[in-house]
Amino acid sequence: MWEYSAGKQICFFMIRVKTAMKDVLTGLDQYEVFLKKLEKEIEQIGDDRIIIVYTDIKHFKYINDTYGYKVGDALLQDFVEEFMGKTDIIICAARVYSDNFVVANRVPPDYCSNEEFRDLIHQLNQDREAKFREKYLNSRLQFCTGISVIDKNSRSLDAETAVSNANLARKVAKEMESDSCVLFDQSMMEGIKREVEITSSIPKALAQKEFQVYFQPKIDTDTLELIGAEALVRWQKPDGSFVYPDEFIPLIERSGQVVDVDYYVYREVFSFLAKRLAEGKKVVPISLNVSRVHLQKMHILQYVKELLEEFRIPCSLVEFELTESIYLDNTEQALELIKGLHNMGIKVSMDDFGSGYSSLNLLSKLPIDIIKLDRVFLKEGEMQESDRIIISCVVDMAKKLKITSLCEGVETQEQSDYLKEVGCQMQQGFYFSRPIPQAVFENLIEEK
Ligand code: C2E
Ligand code: CA
Ligand code: CA
């Protein structure tokens, strides 16, 4: 009796070990098992290459949220079938977690180049996307893949690092519009190092007031007078070097820290305006940039309300700039934010108008006060006829919709004169002034 039940226990234990080695939903290897297999394959690499393909499904959460987990699970199973069934070069595959999959392929020397392999996967992704979008009624579903390669020269690489390189390339692919598959290269590691360096120094930079607000004047087209400014953040490190917003804003958007930096800028600007008003000095309206990240939580309305109460400045002295792409991604939240700001008496502009592709469509949906024409319309050199036509049409349309138009990136007199000719009310750009520190801007207001 004892022997029998002990045997049963052993048998049960073996079954558990066996199933635990596979992912229950997809039947693929568990990730740890995959890594062990991969390690062995690397040891026996010979003249072959091992190509790691790491894929995730963009907007998968949308499927789960909209159609439920059953459909989500079915999609993952379908995906694995597509993933696995086609080729004999696959040596192992695993679901890393959720909708992240990794496959290792052993590729003989004469099979294809790494770049050809990447193009092949890109094509495969596109074909799969079309199929899946139809089946799961989701026009946004996308596959994002990163690839890393191990050959006899890099065989000292361990399995985990090889997968993490492919995953890094996948993250790069996820941010790209044009390519769904990216091949890892060492420079990506540099990018990650820089990202870590930047994001980890933000809290200290905020505490030590390394951020400064610069102001770029806005000019009235008819009178050429200063009628406002845009607040643009500058980060000067203790060693005197500058980090520019084009570099650090996208990184701190990813980490969410942009909210703190934006709030810092808002507070500085409110305090600047309040101080000048208290001293009986002249002021002009200042516009503030709003990152897309604010729309995820919407604390921004409460924060602006608190600032208005604390500093007691007229609401007509601040405006908020939302970039065109914010509206595209989150039309509902953007609408809520605009309404909330309007309720406080604050104007809203659509920044970078024309840099996306459905700006016109959005204008009819959103109660915008000002459009800021992106500087893409004002290319270097003489103005192109096509740009002139587009600018004049946009300005005309804005007028009919009773929206004020401002053109940014004005660098030459020719451009400025043309904007006057077509009736664009405001201008901003290097032709008038670069963004300038507060003290210089204050002198400019005094001269006004
Ligand atoms: P943006 O909002 O489109 O700001 C205008 C950018 O165009 C500024 O770059 C400005 O220096 C530049 N610019 C202005 N006139 C000209 C011109 O005539 N020619 C050329 N070539 N460039 C011109 P900056 O200050 O480097 O800012 C870059 C971007 O970073 C901004 O683009 C904005 O999206 C973001 N940003 C800046 N400050 C903040 C901030 O406090 N919060 C948030 N969320 N984003 C910010
Ligand atoms: Ca702006
Ligand atoms: Ca802009």
Side-chain angles (χ1 to χ4, degrees):
M1 182 65 190
W2 182 86
E3 269 182 29
Y4 170 76
S5 60
K8 209 165 116 187
Q9 267 187 5
I10 289 168
C11 198
F12 175 66
F13 177 70
M14 280 174 64
I15 291 169
R16 279 197 52 183
V17 169
K18 228 177 159 182
T19 48
M21 289 166 78
K22 297 282 178 197
D23 173 52
V24 179
L25 179 72
T26 60
L28 296 180
D29 281 339
Q30 292 280 16
Y31 184 48
E32 289 71 24
V33 177
F34 169 89
L35 285 177
K36 281 199 186 109
K37 284 188 186 172
L38 182 57
E39 213 65 77
K40 278 213 181 91
E41 293 287 340
I42 297 173
E43 278 167 24
Q44 300 157 8
I45 194 159
D47 286 332
D48 292 345
R49 282 161 295 157
I50 295 175
I51 303 190
I52 316 281
V53 179
Y54 192 117
T55 301
D56 100 315
I57 307 169
K58 203 169 167 181
H59 305 304
F60 175 65
K61 186 176 173 296
Y62 175 85
I63 294 275
N64 269 340
D65 292 348
T66 319
Y67 303 109
Y69 286 100
K70 255 193 183 162
V71 176
D73 285 353
L75 187 146
L76 293 178
Q77 284 163 339
D78 262 11
F79 177 77
V80 169
E81 212 165 284
E82 284 285 328
F83 220 124
M84 297 298 299
K86 304 281 188 282
T87 159
D88 53 3
I89 57 169
I90 293 180
I91 43 181
C92 44
R95 179 156 78 125
V96 185
Y97 66 90
S98 176
D99 58 341
N100 280 230
F101 294 89
V102 64
V103 176
N105 302 271
R106 181 180 275 279
V107 180
D110 55 357
Y111 191 84
C112 66
S113 71
N114 297 337
E115 287 72 22
E116 283 167 344
F117 197 92
R118 175 201 56 203
D119 296 344
L120 206 78
I121 299 280
H122 174 62
Q123 190 53 52
L124 261 176
N125 277 352
Q126 291 205 316
D127 297 346
R128 286 173 188 152
E129 270 168 22
K131 227 164 147 178
F132 275 62
R133 281 176 180 178
E134 200 174 314
K135 185 161 177 189
Y136 293 95
L137 302 174
N138 179 6
S139 58
R140 303 180 73 199
L141 205 86
Q142 267 176 310
F143 298 121
C144 305
T145 303
I147 287 183
S148 73
V149 181
I150 309 159
D151 57 21
K152 61 181 172 197
N153 300 319
S154 54
R155 58 183 301 178
S156 59
L157 211 67
D158 64 279
E160 215 163 353
T161 309
V163 175
S164 115
N165 288 349
N167 187 21
L168 186 55
R170 191 260 320 164
K171 286 182 188 158
V172 174
K174 202 163 184 173
E175 307 220 324
M176 290 170 72
E177 291 293 327
S178 54
D179 258 323
S180 69
C181 184
V182 168
L183 195 56
F184 170 81
D185 79 71
Q186 210 55 40
S187 68
M188 288 175 191
M189 290 307 288
E190 297 303 315
I192 289 286
K193 266 196 224 146
R194 180 78 178 142
E195 180 163 355
V196 171
E197 189 189 318
I198 285 182
T199 51
S200 62
S201 40
I202 292 283
K204 192 164 148 248
L206 279 167
Q208 301 194 341
K209 292 188 162 269
E210 289 172 21
F211 293 103
Q212 289 163 28
V213 180
Y214 273 46
F215 295 86
Q216 187 175 34
K218 293 179 187 169
I219 305 295
D220 180 284
T221 299
D222 285 331
T223 62
L224 296 183
E225 272 184 19
L226 173 76
I227 45 162
E230 175 177 5
L232 292 158
V233 69
R234 293 289 176 269
W235 180 6
Q236 191 169 20
K237 297 280 211 60
D239 65 7
S241 64
F242 278 94
V243 190
Y244 284 92
D246 272 343
E247 180 184 9
F248 73 82
I249 297 276
L251 301 182
I252 63 171
E253 280 191 326
R254 274 214 285 270
S255 66
Q257 291 163 310
V258 71
V259 170
D260 300 329
V261 174
D262 274 356
Y263 285 178
Y264 179 90
V265 171
Y266 301 169
R267 174 166 284 278
E268 289 289 299
V269 168
F270 273 73
S271 147
F272 162 72
L273 288 167
K275 189 159 173 281
R276 283 192 65 90
L277 285 172
E279 290 166 356
K281 293 178 176 165
K282 282 189 252 177
V283 284
V284 287
I286 307 291
S287 62
L288 301 155
N289 287 288
V290 180
S291 160
R292 66 186 66 243
V293 177
H294 292 283
L295 295 192
Q296 286 161 15
K297 298 227 172 79
M298 295 294 260
H299 296 156
I300 183 172
L301 286 172
Q302 181 58 29
Y303 191 71
V304 173
K305 194 165 157 250
E306 284 166 21
L307 289 175
L308 278 174
E309 280 165 11
E310 182 180 339
F311 291 101
R312 305 203 157 274
I313 59 169
C315 47
S316 58
L317 280 183
V318 282
E319 291 167 14
F320 282 84
E321 300 191 0
L322 277 75
T323 69
E324 186 188 82
S325 58
I326 284 189
Y327 300 103
L328 291 177
D329 291 344
N330 316 278
T331 315
E332 289 304 311
Q333 289 98 318
L335 188 60
E336 198 184 321
L337 178 55
I338 298 169
K339 281 187 185 155
L341 290 168
H342 279 174
N343 286 342
M344 288 185 246
I346 294 174
K347 285 187 183 158
V348 179
S349 57
M350 185 184 280
D351 200 0
D352 307 328
F353 182 85
S355 62
Y357 50 86
S358 37
S359 332
L360 294 179
N361 181 24
L362 283 175
L363 275 191
S364 62
K365 287 191 195 153
L366 299 167
I368 290 296
D369 307 289
I370 301 150
I371 53 171
K372 292 189 79 173
L373 274 79
D374 194 76
R375 58 176 187 271
V376 289
F377 296 120
L378 302 177
K379 300 183 192 88
E380 260 177 63
E382 261 184 43
M383 290 184 77
Q384 303 293 316
E385 189 53 25
S386 56
D387 290 333
R388 285 173 179 263
I389 294 169
I390 293 174
I391 291 174
S392 98
C393 286
V394 172
V395 171
D396 222 40
M397 180 190 62
K399 246 183 251 162
K400 287 183 182 131
L401 291 168
K402 302 200 168 34
I403 297 173
T404 305
S405 53
L406 180 154
C407 191
E408 46 180 355
V410 179
E411 290 184 355
T412 65
Q413 179 161 6
E414 184 204 3
Q415 292 168 346
S416 177
D417 289 346
Y418 182 70
L419 292 168
K420 183 168 183 167
E421 196 183 312
V422 296
C424 175
Q425 290 110 315
M426 292 192 264
Q427 305 183 26
Q428 179 184 340
F430 294 171
Y431 176 62
F432 300 102
S433 169
R434 289 186 173 251
I436 46 180
Q438 183 178 310
V440 184
F441 179 57
E442 291 199 72
N443 290 337
L444 212 65
I445 303 181
E446 292 305 327
E447 287 166 14
K448 178 175 137 111

